[in-house]
Amino acid sequence: MGDGVTRIGVLASGGGSNMQAIMDRIDAGEIRGRIVLVASDQPAAFALERARCAGIATAVLPYHDSPSRGAFTAAILDALRAAEVELVVLAGFMRMLTGELEAAYAGRMMNIHPALLPSFGGPGMYGHHVHEAVLAYGAKVSGCTVHFVTADVDGGPIIVQRTAPVLEDDTPATLAARVLAQEHLAYPEAVRLYCDGRLRIEGRRVHILGAAPV
Amino acid sequence: MGDGVTRIGVLASGGGSNMQAIMDRIDAGEIRGRIVLVASDQPAAFALERARCAGIATAVLPYHDSPSRGAFTAAILDALRAAEVELVVLAGFMRMLTGELEAAYAGRMMNIHPALLPSFGGPGMYGHHVHEAVLAYGAKVSGCTVHFVTADVDGGPIIVQRTAPVLEDDTPATLAARVLAQEHLAYPEAVRLYCDGRLRIEGRRVHILGAAPV
C-alpha cells in the first residue's frame, strides 16, 4: 500500500473475539493495518455484526452454496482479491480450505491455535477438543500459538506463542477462557509485527526483526 | 518415615545442578525431605562431589561393571533399597534403566525434561538435542517438565511445568541456560509437593492437593 497500511481480510465463523482484539489495537493506532473485509461461511456469525458496526465490508459465503470445497475456496479467494486483501487472518474459521488459498497467500495468512504447538495440534484438534486433550494429558501449562498457515494443519511457522497455566480445578471451559485471554494479546501482536514488516520466514522459523528506526 | 521426612535418593551422571537446587531448598527448611544417597554411573560426576561436601552418602556404579542393563538396574535398586530411599530423583542420569526400577518406584520416581512435554520429548530427545529441536521447529516458548517416570519415555504423569521464552538470537546453549534456570525452580517445587504428600496420581493426571492446615 502506498500509505504503508496493510489491507487485512478476516475469515470468521463465529463471534470473532480475536478479530475484535485486533480491531481494538488498530483503533488504538498500534497496528499499521486496516480490516477491509470480514468474510464468513455463517450468515449469523457475530463477527459479521461487529464488522458492520465498525463500517467494514462483509461477505457471506455459505459453504453449501458452493458445489465443492474447491469452488468454496475459489469464492473466498475471489472476495479477498476483490478487496485487495494483503494479509488474511483466520479468526475461528471452521471450514477447511484447499491448497489454492494457501498458495495464493503463502506467508500472508495467519491462524491461531489454542495450545502450545506442536503439542495438542493437528487434524481434529480444534475448539474444546484441544482443551479436553490438554486436561486429559495432565499438562500443567497451555497457551496459544499464532502461526502462518501452510498445508500442514497447525504445522506452519510460528509467529507468537503465549502461555497460560492449567489449574487444578480446570474444566475445558475454564481453561479455554484463560487461554482466550492470551489469544487476545497474541493475535494482535502477530498482526502488528506483520504490518510493521518485522516478520521474516526462513524455513520453519519466523524471525522477528528489530523495530525500524523512527 | 516416623519423622515425616521423606528419604530421597538422587541418580546423577553429571554436575547435578538440579540436585543442588533441591539441596538448597532442603537446607532452607522448605522441603520435608532429606537426600540420603547420591548414586552415579560416572565416578567423576560433580554431583558426587557436591554430595560428599554435604555429608551425603554416595554410590558409584559404573555401567560397564555390570554384565547387562538388567544387572545394572538391579545394582541401582539394591543401593536405593539399602539406603531405604522412598523417593527417587533423576537429575541428569544418562543411563536407561529397566522396568524393574520403574515398577519398584512407581509413583515414587521423578525426572525432569528440558521442554514442555508432550512437545520435544521421547527417545533421543535429551540434552542439547531438545533445544536444537525447539529452535529448528521455530517454537517461541519452551520450558521444563517434571514428571513421574513410567515405561513411556518422557510420557509419565506431569507434576510441574515452567516456561521460558525462546529469543530471536538463541543458540541451543543460550536457550538451555534459560530453561535450566526454570528447572532449578520446578524440580524443588515438585519434590516439595511430593514430600508434603500433596500429589495424587490419577491415570495420566497429577492432582495437587491443597496444603494441609498447620
Side-chain angles (χ1 to χ4, degrees):
Chain A
M1 293 293 293
D3 57 358
V5 172
T6 301
R7 295 175 68 87
I8 301 168
V10 176
L11 304 187
S13 299
S17 77
N18 270 316
M19 178 185 79
Q20 185 67 56
I22 294 166
M23 287 167 62
D24 293 347
R25 293 281 296 274
I26 289 172
D27 288 347
E30 295 167 25
I31 294 175
R32 291 159 57 84
R34 185 157 66 92
I35 300 177
V36 296
L37 177 69
V38 176
S40 181
D41 59 316
Q42 299 291 333
F46 187 62
L48 293 169
E49 186 61 23
R50 293 188 201 265
R52 291 184 199 108
C53 291
I56 297 169
T58 60
V60 180
L61 299 159
Y63 185 73
H64 295 290
D65 285 3
S66 296
S68 68
R69 189 146 68 96
F72 175 68
T73 301
I76 297 269
L77 193 45
D78 284 348
L80 294 171
R81 283 177 167 154
E84 299 180 51
V85 165
E86 297 167 300
L87 172 67
V88 178
V89 169
L90 302 184
F93 190 66
M94 300 303 282
R95 292 286 174 189
M96 296 293 287
L97 300 161
T98 66
E100 191 189 358
L101 185 65
E102 289 149 17
Y105 280 97
R108 303 191 296 142
M109 179 160 56
M110 297 181 182
N111 195 8
I112 192 162
H113 184 79
L116 293 174
L117 295 172
S119 290
F120 308 112
M125 278 290 181
Y126 59 88
H128 63 96
H129 299 293
V130 176
H131 304 294
E132 286 167 5
V134 169
L135 292 175
Y137 193 88
K140 299 299 188 187
V141 171
S142 191
C144 62
T145 303
V146 184
H147 61 88
F148 284 113
V149 176
T150 66
D152 182 14
V153 177
D154 297 330
I158 292 170
I159 305 163
V160 171
Q161 293 184 303
R162 293 185 65 92
T163 66
V166 178
L167 302 185
E168 176 59 27
D169 296 325
D170 266 337
T171 63
T174 59
L175 178 58
R178 196 175 308 114
V179 168
L180 187 63
Q182 296 303 313
E183 294 178 46
H184 292 168
L185 299 172
Y187 218 159
E189 176 65 8
V191 172
R192 184 181 72 83
L193 291 168
Y194 182 93
C195 292
D196 281 346
R198 293 179 56 192
L199 302 179
R200 188 170 61 208
I201 303 173
E202 283 186 19
R204 275 212 54 79
R205 297 177 69 169
V206 179
H207 293 282
I208 297 175
L209 310 179
V214 179
Chain B
M1 291 292 293
D3 58 356
V5 173
T6 301
R7 295 175 68 87
I8 301 168
V10 176
L11 304 186
S13 299
S17 75
N18 270 316
M19 178 184 79
Q20 185 68 54
I22 295 167
M23 287 168 62
D24 292 348
R25 293 281 294 274
I26 290 173
D27 288 349
E30 294 167 26
I31 294 175
R32 291 158 57 83
R34 185 156 66 92
I35 299 177
V36 295
L37 177 69
V38 177
S40 180
D41 59 315
Q42 299 291 333
F46 187 61
L48 294 169
E49 186 62 22
R50 293 189 202 264
R52 290 183 200 108
C53 290
I56 296 169
T58 60
V60 180
L61 300 158
Y63 185 72
H64 295 292
D65 285 4
S66 296
S68 68
R69 189 147 66 97
F72 175 69
T73 302
I76 297 268
L77 194 46
D78 284 348
L80 294 172
R81 284 176 166 156
E84 298 180 49
V85 165
E86 297 166 300
L87 172 67
V88 178
V89 169
L90 302 184
F93 189 66
M94 299 302 283
R95 291 288 175 187
M96 297 292 287
L97 300 161
T98 65
E100 190 188 0
L101 185 67
E102 289 149 17
Y105 280 96
R108 302 190 297 142
M109 179 159 58
M110 296 179 182
N111 196 8
I112 192 162
H113 184 79
L116 293 175
L117 295 173
S119 290
F120 308 113
M125 278 290 180
Y126 59 90
H128 63 97
H129 299 292
V130 176
H131 305 293
E132 285 167 6
V134 169
L135 293 175
Y137 193 87
K140 299 298 189 189
V141 171
S142 192
C144 61
T145 303
V146 185
H147 61 87
F148 285 111
V149 176
T150 66
D152 183 14
V153 177
D154 297 331
I158 292 171
I159 306 163
V160 171
Q161 292 185 302
R162 291 186 65 93
T163 65
V166 178
L167 301 184
E168 177 59 27
D169 297 326
D170 266 337
T171 63
T174 60
L175 177 57
R178 195 175 309 113
V179 168
L180 188 62
Q182 296 302 315
E183 294 178 46
H184 292 168
L185 298 173
Y187 219 160
E189 177 65 6
V191 173
R192 182 180 74 82
L193 291 169
Y194 182 93
C195 293
D196 281 346
R198 292 178 57 192
L199 301 179
R200 188 171 59 209
I201 304 174
E202 283 185 19
R204 275 212 55 79
R205 296 177 69 169
V206 179
H207 293 283
I208 298 175
L209 310 179
V214 178

